[in-house]
Amino acid sequence: MFRAIAFWCLSAFLLLGAPNSVAFAQTPVVAHLDAPFVHEGSGITVPAAVDRFDRVSVTDFSEEQLNIAAQYRDANNDTVITLFIYRAAGPNISI
């Protein structure tokens, strides 16, 4: 199961592109750690746990929760997974 989740996360990252380089303040999102969190902008449900990984935080990198990160941790060995949900920059933005 872990490999399937890791593959899905990596695939989504590669298909959507890297997050844009504009820096925003990091704001913790109020999310009950024992319940799923629904990202309103995309409708994606971020589960409270994935296999043996428990969600420990949700962070907003924009002012409107367009770019968020959910961090999961395995308490047995301190392995961390971070799931990013963000809007990819448009093709006409200069780099």
Side-chain angles (χ1 to χ4, degrees), residues 56-72:
V56 294
S57 67
V58 178
T59 305
D60 180 16
F61 295 96
S62 65
E63 295 176 1
E64 301 164 343
Q65 290 190 15
L66 298 175
N67 305 315
I68 68 161
Q71 190 173 66
Y72 293 85

PDB file of all heavy atoms in Angstrom, residues 56-72:
ATOM      1  N   VAL A  56       0.066  14.678  10.654  1.00  0.00           N
ATOM      2  CA  VAL A  56       0.472  15.473  11.810  1.00  0.00           C
ATOM      3  C   VAL A  56       0.239  16.961  11.608  1.00  0.00           C
ATOM      4  O   VAL A  56       0.238  17.722  12.567  1.00  0.00           O
ATOM      5  CB  VAL A  56       1.946  15.210  12.195  1.00  0.00           C
ATOM      6  CG1 VAL A  56       2.120  13.768  12.684  1.00  0.00           C
ATOM      7  CG2 VAL A  56       2.880  15.505  11.038  1.00  0.00           C
ATOM      8  N   SER A  57       0.045  17.388  10.355  1.00  0.00           N
ATOM      9  CA  SER A  57      -0.212  18.805  10.121  1.00  0.00           C
ATOM     10  C   SER A  57      -0.738  19.038   8.703  1.00  0.00           C
ATOM     11  O   SER A  57      -0.549  18.225   7.811  1.00  0.00           O
ATOM     12  CB  SER A  57       1.061  19.642  10.319  1.00  0.00           C
ATOM     13  OG  SER A  57       2.016  19.327   9.315  1.00  0.00           O
ATOM     14  N   VAL A  58      -1.401  20.177   8.546  1.00  0.00           N
ATOM     15  CA  VAL A  58      -1.793  20.694   7.232  1.00  0.00           C
ATOM     16  C   VAL A  58      -1.360  22.158   7.228  1.00  0.00           C
ATOM     17  O   VAL A  58      -1.677  22.905   8.154  1.00  0.00           O
ATOM     18  CB  VAL A  58      -3.316  20.582   6.983  1.00  0.00           C
ATOM     19  CG1 VAL A  58      -3.679  21.183   5.624  1.00  0.00           C
ATOM     20  CG2 VAL A  58      -3.781  19.138   7.063  1.00  0.00           C
ATOM     21  N   THR A  59      -0.613  22.552   6.210  1.00  0.00           N
ATOM     22  CA  THR A  59      -0.071  23.903   6.124  1.00  0.00           C
ATOM     23  C   THR A  59      -0.522  24.574   4.841  1.00  0.00           C
ATOM     24  O   THR A  59      -0.520  23.949   3.780  1.00  0.00           O
ATOM     25  CB  THR A  59       1.473  23.864   6.162  1.00  0.00           C
ATOM     26  OG1 THR A  59       1.888  23.154   7.329  1.00  0.00           O
ATOM     27  CG2 THR A  59       2.065  25.253   6.184  1.00  0.00           C
ATOM     28  N   ASP A  60      -0.884  25.857   4.937  1.00  0.00           N
ATOM     29  CA  ASP A  60      -1.309  26.652   3.777  1.00  0.00           C
ATOM     30  C   ASP A  60      -0.148  27.540   3.350  1.00  0.00           C
ATOM     31  O   ASP A  60       0.443  28.236   4.168  1.00  0.00           O
ATOM     32  CB  ASP A  60      -2.523  27.503   4.166  1.00  0.00           C
ATOM     33  CG  ASP A  60      -3.041  28.363   3.029  1.00  0.00           C
ATOM     34  OD1 ASP A  60      -2.680  28.100   1.862  1.00  0.00           O
ATOM     35  OD2 ASP A  60      -3.801  29.300   3.304  1.00  0.00           O
ATOM     36  N   PHE A  61       0.186  27.519   2.057  1.00  0.00           N
ATOM     37  CA  PHE A  61       1.263  28.339   1.517  1.00  0.00           C
ATOM     38  C   PHE A  61       0.734  29.502   0.684  1.00  0.00           C
ATOM     39  O   PHE A  61       1.491  30.157  -0.021  1.00  0.00           O
ATOM     40  CB  PHE A  61       2.203  27.489   0.657  1.00  0.00           C
ATOM     41  CG  PHE A  61       2.933  26.451   1.453  1.00  0.00           C
ATOM     42  CD1 PHE A  61       2.465  25.158   1.518  1.00  0.00           C
ATOM     43  CD2 PHE A  61       4.074  26.770   2.160  1.00  0.00           C
ATOM     44  CE1 PHE A  61       3.118  24.187   2.254  1.00  0.00           C
ATOM     45  CE2 PHE A  61       4.743  25.816   2.902  1.00  0.00           C
ATOM     46  CZ  PHE A  61       4.267  24.526   2.953  1.00  0.00           C
ATOM     47  N   SER A  62      -0.563  29.727   0.722  1.00  0.00           N
ATOM     48  CA  SER A  62      -1.169  30.843  -0.003  1.00  0.00           C
ATOM     49  C   SER A  62      -2.146  31.530   0.933  1.00  0.00           C
ATOM     50  O   SER A  62      -2.314  31.123   2.075  1.00  0.00           O
ATOM     51  CB  SER A  62      -1.896  30.349  -1.257  1.00  0.00           C
ATOM     52  OG  SER A  62      -2.995  29.535  -0.898  1.00  0.00           O
ATOM     53  N   GLU A  63      -2.782  32.548   0.463  1.00  0.00           N
ATOM     54  CA  GLU A  63      -3.726  33.272   1.316  1.00  0.00           C
ATOM     55  C   GLU A  63      -5.130  32.670   1.253  1.00  0.00           C
ATOM     56  O   GLU A  63      -5.983  33.012   2.050  1.00  0.00           O
ATOM     57  CB  GLU A  63      -3.761  34.740   0.915  1.00  0.00           C
ATOM     58  CG  GLU A  63      -2.441  35.439   1.150  1.00  0.00           C
ATOM     59  CD  GLU A  63      -2.444  36.871   0.667  1.00  0.00           C
ATOM     60  OE1 GLU A  63      -3.475  37.338   0.158  1.00  0.00           O
ATOM     61  OE2 GLU A  63      -1.407  37.513   0.804  1.00  0.00           O
ATOM     62  N   GLU A  64      -5.379  31.771   0.307  1.00  0.00           N
ATOM     63  CA  GLU A  64      -6.726  31.244   0.094  1.00  0.00           C
ATOM     64  C   GLU A  64      -6.772  29.717   0.092  1.00  0.00           C
ATOM     65  O   GLU A  64      -7.671  29.131  -0.492  1.00  0.00           O
ATOM     66  CB  GLU A  64      -7.273  31.772  -1.234  1.00  0.00           C
ATOM     67  CG  GLU A  64      -7.325  33.283  -1.281  1.00  0.00           C
ATOM     68  CD  GLU A  64      -7.497  33.800  -2.705  1.00  0.00           C
ATOM     69  OE1 GLU A  64      -7.263  33.034  -3.655  1.00  0.00           O
ATOM     70  OE2 GLU A  64      -7.850  34.969  -2.854  1.00  0.00           O
ATOM     71  N   GLN A  65      -5.818  29.077   0.707  1.00  0.00           N
ATOM     72  CA  GLN A  65      -5.696  27.621   0.737  1.00  0.00           C
ATOM     73  C   GLN A  65      -5.676  27.007  -0.664  1.00  0.00           C
ATOM     74  O   GLN A  65      -6.237  25.937  -0.901  1.00  0.00           O
ATOM     75  CB  GLN A  65      -6.790  26.985   1.596  1.00  0.00           C
ATOM     76  CG  GLN A  65      -6.619  27.251   3.061  1.00  0.00           C
ATOM     77  CD  GLN A  65      -7.549  26.427   3.925  1.00  0.00           C
ATOM     78  OE1 GLN A  65      -8.135  25.459   3.486  1.00  0.00           O
ATOM     79  NE2 GLN A  65      -7.679  26.817   5.174  1.00  0.00           N
ATOM     80  N   LEU A  66      -5.019  27.680  -1.589  1.00  0.00           N
ATOM     81  CA  LEU A  66      -4.861  27.117  -2.933  1.00  0.00           C
ATOM     82  C   LEU A  66      -3.672  26.155  -2.975  1.00  0.00           C
ATOM     83  O   LEU A  66      -3.657  25.212  -3.757  1.00  0.00           O
ATOM     84  CB  LEU A  66      -4.674  28.227  -3.963  1.00  0.00           C
ATOM     85  CG  LEU A  66      -5.839  29.195  -4.110  1.00  0.00           C
ATOM     86  CD1 LEU A  66      -5.474  30.319  -5.065  1.00  0.00           C
ATOM     87  CD2 LEU A  66      -7.081  28.470  -4.586  1.00  0.00           C
ATOM     88  N   ASN A  67      -2.664  26.427  -2.155  1.00  0.00           N
ATOM     89  CA  ASN A  67      -1.448  25.623  -2.112  1.00  0.00           C
ATOM     90  C   ASN A  67      -1.267  25.121  -0.684  1.00  0.00           C
ATOM     91  O   ASN A  67      -0.899  25.892   0.200  1.00  0.00           O
ATOM     92  CB  ASN A  67      -0.234  26.452  -2.532  1.00  0.00           C
ATOM     93  CG  ASN A  67      -0.426  27.077  -3.896  1.00  0.00           C
ATOM     94  OD1 ASN A  67      -0.881  26.417  -4.814  1.00  0.00           O
ATOM     95  ND2 ASN A  67      -0.085  28.341  -4.035  1.00  0.00           N
ATOM     96  N   ILE A  68      -1.513  23.830  -0.481  1.00  0.00           N
ATOM     97  CA  ILE A  68      -1.387  23.291   0.871  1.00  0.00           C
ATOM     98  C   ILE A  68      -0.472  22.076   0.882  1.00  0.00           C
ATOM     99  O   ILE A  68      -0.200  21.480  -0.170  1.00  0.00           O
ATOM    100  CB  ILE A  68      -2.757  22.902   1.477  1.00  0.00           C
ATOM    101  CG1 ILE A  68      -3.352  21.703   0.752  1.00  0.00           C
ATOM    102  CG2 ILE A  68      -3.709  24.074   1.520  1.00  0.00           C
ATOM    103  CD1 ILE A  68      -4.430  20.996   1.540  1.00  0.00           C
ATOM    104  N   ALA A  69      -0.013  21.736   2.071  1.00  0.00           N
ATOM    105  CA  ALA A  69       0.781  20.530   2.273  1.00  0.00           C
ATOM    106  C   ALA A  69       0.237  19.802   3.484  1.00  0.00           C
ATOM    107  O   ALA A  69      -0.049  20.418   4.513  1.00  0.00           O
ATOM    108  CB  ALA A  69       2.246  20.883   2.500  1.00  0.00           C
ATOM    109  N   ALA A  70       0.063  18.504   3.355  1.00  0.00           N
ATOM    110  CA  ALA A  70      -0.325  17.655   4.478  1.00  0.00           C
ATOM    111  C   ALA A  70       0.870  16.772   4.788  1.00  0.00           C
ATOM    112  O   ALA A  70       1.409  16.115   3.904  1.00  0.00           O
ATOM    113  CB  ALA A  70      -1.538  16.807   4.124  1.00  0.00           C
ATOM    114  N   GLN A  71       1.298  16.799   6.039  1.00  0.00           N
ATOM    115  CA  GLN A  71       2.467  16.013   6.431  1.00  0.00           C
ATOM    116  C   GLN A  71       2.031  14.806   7.262  1.00  0.00           C
ATOM    117  O   GLN A  71       1.222  14.933   8.174  1.00  0.00           O
ATOM    118  CB  GLN A  71       3.456  16.851   7.212  1.00  0.00           C
ATOM    119  CG  GLN A  71       4.771  16.139   7.428  1.00  0.00           C
ATOM    120  CD  GLN A  71       5.811  17.037   8.045  1.00  0.00           C
ATOM    121  OE1 GLN A  71       5.672  17.464   9.166  1.00  0.00           O
ATOM    122  NE2 GLN A  71       6.838  17.338   7.270  1.00  0.00           N
ATOM    123  N   TYR A  72       2.599  13.660   6.896  1.00  0.00           N
ATOM    124  CA  TYR A  72       2.327  12.402   7.581  1.00  0.00           C
ATOM    125  C   TYR A  72       3.632  11.890   8.185  1.00  0.00           C
ATOM    126  O   TYR A  72       4.702  12.091   7.624  1.00  0.00           O
ATOM    127  CB  TYR A  72       1.803  11.354   6.593  1.00  0.00           C
ATOM    128  CG  TYR A  72       0.441  11.673   6.031  1.00  0.00           C
ATOM    129  CD1 TYR A  72       0.292  12.507   4.928  1.00  0.00           C
ATOM    130  CD2 TYR A  72      -0.706  11.139   6.606  1.00  0.00           C
ATOM    131  CE1 TYR A  72      -0.957  12.804   4.418  1.00  0.00           C
ATOM    132  CE2 TYR A  72      -1.960  11.419   6.096  1.00  0.00           C
ATOM    133  CZ  TYR A  72      -2.078  12.256   5.001  1.00  0.00           C
ATOM    134  OH  TYR A  72      -3.316  12.542   4.501  1.00  0.00           O
TER     135      TYR A  72
END
